[in-house]
Amino acid sequence: MNEYADLLIIGAGPAGMSAALAAAPSGARIVMLDDNPLPGGQIWRDGPQANVPGPARRLRERLASCDNIRHHAGTRVIAAPGAKQLLVEDDDHGWLISYDKLILCTGARELLLPFPGWTLPGVTGAGGLQALIKAGLPVQNERVVIAGSGPLLLASAATAKQHGAQVQRIAEQASRSAVAGFAAQLPRWPGKWLQSFSLFDHHYRTATHVLAALGTDRVEGVRLQQQGNIVELECDRLACGFGLIANIQLGQALGCAIEDQAIAVDAWQASNRADHYAAGECTGFGGSELALVEGAIAGHAAVGNLQAARQLWPRRARWQGFAKALNSAFALDPRLKSLAQPDTLVCRCEDVPYAALTGHSDWREAKLASRCGMGACQGRVCGGAVQHLFGWQPSAPRPPFSPARIETLMSLDDTPPA
Ligand SMILES: Cc1cc2nc3c(=O)[nH]c(=O)nc-3n(C[C@H](O)[C@H](O)[C@H](O)COP(=O)(O)OP(=O)(O)OC[C@H]3O[C@@H](n4cnc5c(N)ncnc54)[C@H](O)[C@@H]3O)c2cc1C
């Protein structure tokens, strides 16, 4: 089966939804695809225990009411076999989509850094724990410690508490002065300022980071460096996330330039590759408000409505200011690079310890010598970690970008080369 889109949007988070809605009045045939079952991305992830807010539900309703937007849920990109053509697959079959314009709205994922015990059952990412709870994980009466950096720690703690967990500690690695400086700027964005009051928790500690997860068969406690002292707490779950990293892999594979570990875009959200745009957190971390406005600019620009796109520049600049304040306040302390011990696994798919990676000069060399990044997650977890630990830029992925069925891959034989 072949499908054609005037505008293809990859990712149905805030940026992708907003891009589709901005482009829709042009009458263009729009296809939006996402590997999740419902539009919403990370922030408005659905599930049996999720409480998707009203504005997000209304965005979904508006999308559903546009006859020229087709949404493929649960759909993954497998390869880019031809010029302006992607091979995709859902649970039933694979097919080709050809497009005229493309907007990448692939979002971001958590940065997970290795530390002793981080592979024990019960240790997850901070956003990972939130996603598990939304998907139905019961945490009633469980003792939870949340550690790492950034506002996602507070959002994750709020979700855990709503579902009956006892949050013992929220360990923020940034210094007290950095967090206080950020809080002092929040009145510039009143919605965020109000939200900060609802998220405040008296278990929050700045200048505190994880040293080790403790336990034998699963996590039983955590050792923290807390404001100069070492403390140990018992817990049933440890959720640890060190901020977000942009999902650039598909952009890299399509030949889009990367800058500061994100897809580089101009004022129209256009990448260096003609007719290829990017918006939201694949272009850098900045929160859902920035993702929404960037998505709208990309959507307008992709269908040629430059005037409407330009009108949104001031709003984008306002949220870029928020992103700048956020990224500078929660910059990672270089000391976090020394959490991993020689025997700490960095690549948990292929059991590669830290010691097997030291001494190599780049990602490719380390990969060939150790199999780091060659397992099931294809470097989605350890790639971010080695970039942080050693400064190695993971290379562009090669197809298949996701595990795929043989029948889907066989259809590549019928595709003329790009
Ligand atoms: C785990 C996690 C939890 C978060 N929780 C919160 C929160 O509670 N509150 C908050 O304010 N912010 C949260 N954030 C930050 C939040 O991601 C952003 O502010 C906002 O969702 C960014 O919107 P986006 O559209 O750029 O990307 P996203 O929301 O990340 O959406 C991108 C979408 O694209 C899909 N996708 C990516 N690549 C492909 C592909 N190749 N094929 C198909 N689909 C693809 C993803 O599955 C996702 O649905 C969270 C981030 C993460 C990583």
Side-chain angles (χ1 to χ4, degrees):
M1 173 181 133
N2 278 1
E3 186 175 14
Y4 173 77
D6 295 315
L7 175 61
L8 175 60
I9 299 172
I10 311 295
M17 294 163 94
S18 177
L21 288 170
S26 69
R29 277 170 289 179
I30 300 170
V31 172
M32 181 171 68
L33 66 85
D34 192 291
D35 47 12
N36 280 309
L38 282 166
Q42 297 290 2
I43 182 169
W44 301 319
R45 179 180 285 277
D46 224 303
Q49 296 194 133
N51 184 14
V52 178
R57 280 201 303 271
R58 282 191 285 283
L59 281 180
R60 280 184 187 168
E61 285 160 14
R62 286 177 57 203
L63 284 170
S65 69
C66 291
D67 292 338
N68 58 331
I69 301 178
R70 186 182 299 173
H71 176 228
H72 295 303
T75 305
R76 301 162 295 280
V77 180
I78 306 302
K84 296 194 175 181
Q85 190 179 56
L86 295 181
L87 175 67
V88 304
E89 182 186 87
D90 65 11
D91 286 347
D92 299 322
H93 68 304
W95 74 102
L96 290 163
I97 307 182
S98 302
Y99 57 87
D100 183 35
K101 305 272 171 73
L102 178 113
I103 309 179
L104 290 161
C105 299
T106 48
R109 64 189 187 284
E110 276 188 286
L111 174 61
L112 304 178
L113 294 180
F115 54 86
W118 77 290
T119 53
L120 279 172
V123 182
T124 60
L129 176 64
Q130 192 192 43
L132 286 168
I133 295 173
K134 288 180 181 177
L137 178 80
V139 290
Q140 183 77 33
N141 296 327
E142 285 192 346
R143 296 161 304 172
V144 174
V145 171
I146 298 180
S149 197
L152 185 52
L153 305 187
L154 288 167
S156 178
T159 305
K161 284 184 287 184
Q162 272 162 25
H163 292 89
Q166 299 158 20
V167 173
Q168 312 276 298
R169 180 71 77 247
I170 305 169
E172 167 57 61
Q173 59 85 42
S175 68
R176 185 185 167 136
S177 60
V179 176
F182 176 68
Q185 294 184 63
L186 279 180
R188 286 167 61 196
W189 305 279
K192 292 287 178 195
W193 190 40
L194 284 177
Q195 192 187 22
S196 70
F197 294 110
S198 67
L199 290 177
F200 178 76
D201 187 296
H202 68 278
H203 295 101
Y204 189 76
R205 298 286 183 282
T206 53
T208 301
H209 65 259
V210 67
L211 292 173
L214 311 172
T216 40
D217 296 331
R218 64 166 288 122
V219 69
E220 292 163 13
V222 56
R223 184 177 302 133
L224 298 169
Q225 172 90 45
Q226 183 174 298
Q227 297 167 350
N229 301 312
I230 292 185
V231 296
E232 288 190 4
L233 298 172
E234 290 182 358
C235 62
D236 305 304
R237 287 189 187 278
L238 169 62
C240 217
F242 294 89
L244 301 184
I245 43 173
N247 288 328
I248 57 171
Q249 292 80 0
L250 186 55
Q252 271 182 307
L254 292 173
C256 300
I258 305 299
E259 236 175 67
D260 295 333
Q261 299 173 35
I263 300 174
V265 287
D266 66 11
W268 307 105
Q269 299 294 140
S271 78
N272 65 318
R273 191 174 159 192
D275 299 331
H276 288 66
Y277 297 75
E281 292 194 332
C282 59
T283 66
F285 178 58
S288 58
E289 294 83 357
L290 183 59
L292 283 167
V293 66
E294 286 181 351
I297 292 172
H300 286 308
V303 295
N305 192 350
L306 298 186
Q307 198 191 349
R310 191 191 295 272
Q311 278 171 0
L312 293 170
W313 287 359
R315 197 193 306 169
R316 179 179 57 192
R318 187 171 124 71
W319 287 110
Q320 281 171 335
F322 175 74
K324 199 169 159 203
L326 191 70
N327 289 318
S328 103
F330 295 99
L332 294 185
D333 186 325
R335 281 185 301 172
L336 297 174
K337 292 188 186 191
S338 54
L339 294 181
Q341 302 301 305
D343 62 347
T344 305
L345 292 184
V346 175
C347 172
R348 61 192 300 174
C349 299
E350 293 290 328
D351 287 349
V352 182
Y354 182 83
L357 296 172
T358 53
H360 295 293
S361 55
D362 60 27
W363 170 244
R364 185 180 151 74
E365 189 188 300
K367 209 170 161 178
L368 291 176
S370 69
R371 293 192 54 80
C372 183
M374 292 170 88
C377 89
Q378 287 289 292
R380 284 184 184 83
V381 176
C382 64
V386 296
Q387 187 158 24
H388 181 76
L389 295 173
F390 303 106
W392 299 335
Q393 170 72 52
S395 44
R398 286 192 296 179
F401 306 138
S402 296
R405 279 189 299 270
I406 296 290
E407 307 89 81
T408 303
L409 295 174
M410 280 166 58
S411 67
L412 285 175
D413 280 349
D414 310 328
T415 312

